[in-house]
Amino acid sequence: MLIEKAEVIVTSPDRNFVTLKLTTDSGITGLGDGTLNGRELSVVSYLNDHVVPLLIGRDAHRIEDTWQFLYRSAYWRRGPVTMAAIAAVDVALWDIKAKAAGMPLYQLLGGASRTGILAYGHASGASTDELLDSIRAHQEQGFQAIRVQSGVPGLRAIYGVSAAKTDAAVVEHHYEPAQRAARPVEEDWDTRAYLRHLPTVFEAVRHHFGPELPLLHDGHHRMTPVQAARLGKELEPYDLFWLEDCTPAENQEALRLVRQHTTTPLAIGEVFNSVWDYRQIIAEQLIDYVRSSVTHTGGISHLRKILDFAAQYQIKSGIHGPTDISPVGMAAALHLDLAIHNFGIQEYMPHGERTNRVFEQSFTFTDGYLHPGERPGLGVELDVDQASRYPYQTAYLPFNRLKDGTVHDW
Ligand code: KDG
Ligand code: MG
């Protein structure tokens, strides 16, 4: 079965998505997600200029060989653009193989290891009262595990906290990771104020919701190792499911210091793109959850290798699933989640209605659990007519400055 056509489709229904569609000579098509938030067009160019011409005429069944060919023949290894482009090809080929086999993709990955995939949703509030409302709203939607992000007194806007005052945002307590604008929006930050405030937020949340509800928090790379160690220690009484991205973990050794001071479980890796980013923190058991997405980590083939490596150290998955992972990337994550033994939890930010019309999906969310469905392949189809209604729009993630004007991790 040969690849006959490879098309890169950019669409922006609620936000920008980059999708690779492969068509084989037997008429089977496959989809892969290559969306890289705020840098989407660089993946489009990588695919169109350097990958698409190499795919035509290749055997669609040779997934591992194609992966190794794209990774090694480029010479320039790793990096988010390269690994997102390879991921798009890898996932599209898995989609094709599973459709050709007449099976949902998880069957080819070893079959189901569980009946459903526990998902966590994103609750946030500028104030603690707004946050408590947001948690209740997420529970009403069915979520049984909840990420908690809060405003900090004295700071205007904080990434991860819904700031929009539209009715929809208030009802859904929704935030969108990137904003459609010509330049990144500037936010402000003060780590000392955050460290003082956050334990009071978790105190209130546990007081209102009791000890059972799994709670998560994202530190978004903003702390130094010693600050992260202090926060982890101070949050121990509130029994977090995890503390995510407490430090900018490209310095893998930094996690040692954090680990020595706290038993709060640590999750890291949404900005990582290869097993090399995890080598030390997995082998030294410095983390508890791997946060990579299928989309940014070379696809199912490479993320599976990272997760198998992690499994030897009792480290589990916590696959990245914000709205900037397209329904194609989400479906790929769900098939992997269902199949692997060391599944931990899946992040889930539901997409908007326009996105769901562009990407017709078979996955379901019932009583807090996701399932990829039983359709052959990934279970997602792209409506090209719908997609063409929404051209690319410039959008950026925000950035942070401290009070004195210094740019900080956001
Ligand atoms: O594109 C970046 C966002 O997806 C990311 O910042 C969201 O931190 C995030 C998360 O945990 O989902
Ligand atoms: Mg995160």
Side-chain angles (χ1 to χ4, degrees):
M1 185 168 52
L2 303 180
I3 301 170
E4 213 171 58
K5 200 154 99 182
E7 300 156 274
V8 182
I9 298 150
V10 181
T11 181
S12 193
D14 298 297
R15 61 163 350 281
N16 294 318
F17 295 112
V18 176
T19 310
L20 177 69
K21 180 177 179 183
L22 300 182
T23 306
T24 64
D25 55 359
S26 60
I28 298 180
T29 59
L31 298 177
D33 179 24
T35 307
L36 186 61
N37 205 2
R39 295 293 184 273
E40 295 88 355
L41 299 183
S42 54
V43 184
V44 174
S45 159
Y46 194 105
L47 283 168
N48 273 332
D49 297 333
H50 304 292
V51 174
V52 164
L54 309 180
L55 293 177
I56 309 304
R58 286 187 75 82
D59 182 352
H61 276 306
R62 297 183 64 182
I63 300 177
E64 182 66 20
D65 181 69
T66 301
W67 198 99
Q68 298 297 341
F69 167 68
L70 293 175
Y71 184 77
R72 290 171 201 282
S73 70
Y75 187 63
W76 310 107
R77 295 176 186 197
R78 309 190 278 163
V81 176
T82 298
M83 296 303 266
I86 295 179
V89 177
D90 183 78
V91 170
L93 292 179
W94 277 109
D95 191 16
I96 289 170
K97 193 185 274 293
K99 283 180 181 168
M103 289 181 185
L105 175 51
Y106 73 81
Q107 295 289 11
L108 273 56
L109 301 174
S113 289
R114 55 196 51 79
T115 51
I117 296 159
L118 179 67
Y120 73 88
H122 284 204
S124 68
S127 67
T128 302
D129 281 346
E130 272 180 45
L131 169 65
L132 299 178
D133 284 348
S134 175
I135 296 173
R136 279 183 211 106
H138 279 79
Q139 287 185 310
E140 277 159 25
Q141 287 167 33
F143 282 102
Q144 296 193 31
I146 298 192
R147 184 181 97 154
V148 166
Q149 302 297 123
S150 160
V152 174
L155 298 185
R156 277 176 304 132
I158 296 180
Y159 179 74
V161 177
S162 172
K165 292 291 176 228
T166 64
D167 286 351
V170 171
V171 172
E172 294 173 19
H173 300 271
H174 177 75
Y175 84 94
E176 165 51 47
Q179 281 123 35
R180 286 172 171 161
R183 288 168 181 277
V185 170
E186 183 177 317
E187 298 181 343
D188 49 2
W189 187 247
D190 177 344
T191 309
R192 289 186 67 232
Y194 163 76
L195 290 175
R196 280 195 306 274
H197 184 61
L198 198 66
T200 71
V201 172
F202 276 93
E203 173 73 35
V205 172
R206 278 291 176 222
H207 176 75
H208 281 85
F209 295 94
E212 286 280 320
L213 182 66
L215 298 175
L216 303 85
H217 178 71
D218 192 346
H220 232 270
H221 325 271
R222 293 163 181 144
M223 287 166 275
T224 64
V226 80
Q227 289 168 336
R230 167 183 158 188
L231 183 66
K233 199 153 71 171
E234 290 186 357
L235 293 181
E236 279 171 20
Y238 311 113
D239 187 23
L240 265 61
F241 186 96
W242 78 35
L243 172 60
E244 176 188 348
D245 285 342
C246 59
T247 59
E250 51 266 51
N251 176 8
Q252 296 188 29
E253 281 177 22
L255 271 299
R256 254 197 233 136
L257 190 146
V258 183
R259 199 61 153 176
Q260 280 159 1
H261 288 89
T262 180
T263 55
T264 293
L266 303 176
I268 248 162
E270 68 180 40
V271 301
F272 291 176
N273 46 68
S274 90
V275 71
W276 299 104
D277 299 316
Y278 285 102
R279 200 191 56 76
Q280 183 177 8
I281 55 179
I282 289 179
E284 288 188 29
Q285 285 178 279
L286 301 181
I287 58 166
D288 301 278
Y289 296 92
V290 164
R291 284 287 288 138
S292 276
S293 65
V294 172
T295 304
H296 302 138
T297 320
I300 289 170
S301 300
H302 193 69
L303 184 52
R304 174 90 199 230
K305 287 173 184 162
I306 297 173
L307 293 173
D308 285 346
F309 173 39
Q312 313 315 312
Y313 299 89
Q314 293 172 285
I315 296 169
K316 296 188 175 188
S317 70
I319 298 182
H320 194 211
T323 42
D324 47 290
I325 299 297
S326 88
V328 175
M330 266 306 285
L334 299 185
H335 286 279
L336 197 50
D337 287 333
L338 202 67
I340 56 173
H341 178 250
N342 58 329
F343 168 76
I345 201 166
Q346 171 66 51
E347 181 181 23
Y348 179 43
M349 281 177 82
H351 288 110
E353 273 176 33
R354 275 192 297 268
T355 298
N356 293 338
R357 277 199 296 274
V358 172
F359 297 93
E360 196 260 317
Q361 306 148 33
S362 70
F363 62 79
T364 52
F365 177 63
T366 316
D367 296 333
Y369 286 81
L370 289 155
H371 193 285
E374 298 298 337
R375 241 192 254 165
L378 283 171
V380 182
E381 293 302 330
L382 179 82
D383 183 326
V384 180
D385 290 338
Q386 283 286 334
S388 66
R389 293 186 188 187
Y390 307 110
Y392 169 82
Q393 294 197 33
T394 305
Y396 283 106
L397 285 156
F399 80 110
N400 256 338
R401 283 189 194 278
L402 305 178
K403 213 179 256 174
D404 70 356
T406 308
V407 173
H408 190 64
D409 296 297
W410 53 271

